[in-house]
Amino acid sequence: QVQLVESGGGWVQAGGSLRLSCATSRTVFALYSVGWYRQTPGKQRDLVAGIFSGVSTAYADSVKGRFTISRHDANNTVYLQMNSLKPEDTAVYYCNVGNYYSTYDRFVPFGSWGQGTQVAVSS
């Protein structure tokens, strides 16, 4: 089972920033793509950002220009820098590893879902 550990969530006022971290093993980090998801109660878990093959990045329209995903090889961690936060960004954020199929422009996660990290943005 591939395991990841999310951290960095918290409470912030609208317009503020948070940086989320996703840590995993060196092997996993080197071989696979990583995506950040978020979920609110009663709704499906949605992909908000991904870093594929360690190089290309993609973002949901709702976070483009505000969120930045990056990876740091030295500590096997993928970060999600979230700026200009809005109340609608409030959710539990999860990361997962998976494969990115460029032909279909699709990221398919396969790791175990962790506890996630809660982000709360007040207006």
Side-chain angles (χ1 to χ4, degrees):
Q1 290 280 5
V2 176
Q3 292 186 321
L4 304 98
V5 178
E6 304 99 341
S7 62
W11 174 86
V12 66
Q13 288 189 320
S17 299
L18 285 172
R19 188 178 76 162
L20 306 184
S21 300
C22 173
T24 186
S25 69
R26 180 178 297 277
T27 299
V28 169
F29 189 78
L31 294 177
Y32 300 109
S33 300
V34 177
W36 276 101
Y37 292 75
R38 66 186 181 189
Q39 186 175 29
T40 55
K43 294 190 177 181
Q44 68 179 18
R45 192 172 291 162
D46 291 326
L47 181 67
V48 295
I51 186 162
F52 308 132
S53 302
V55 179
S56 63
T57 59
Y59 300 91
D61 288 343
S62 59
V63 306
K64 278 181 183 175
R66 300 188 298 121
F67 290 12
T68 302
I69 189 170
S70 62
R71 56 179 283 161
H72 289 255
D73 294 352
N75 56 12
N76 305 322
T77 299
V78 172
Y79 297 104
L80 185 66
Q81 177 67 45
M82 306 186 297
N83 299 327
S84 302
L85 282 162
K86 305 175 181 180
E88 51 264 43
D89 295 318
T90 296
V92 179
Y93 284 71
Y94 302 86
C95 64
N96 210 332
V97 296
N99 291 309
Y100 175 66
Y101 300 93
S102 57
T103 302
Y104 307 102
D105 190 23
R106 186 180 178 192
F107 174 70
V108 179
F110 60 74
S112 299
W113 293 103
Q115 300 266 351
T117 185
Q118 175 73 55
V119 171
V121 184
S122 63
S123 57

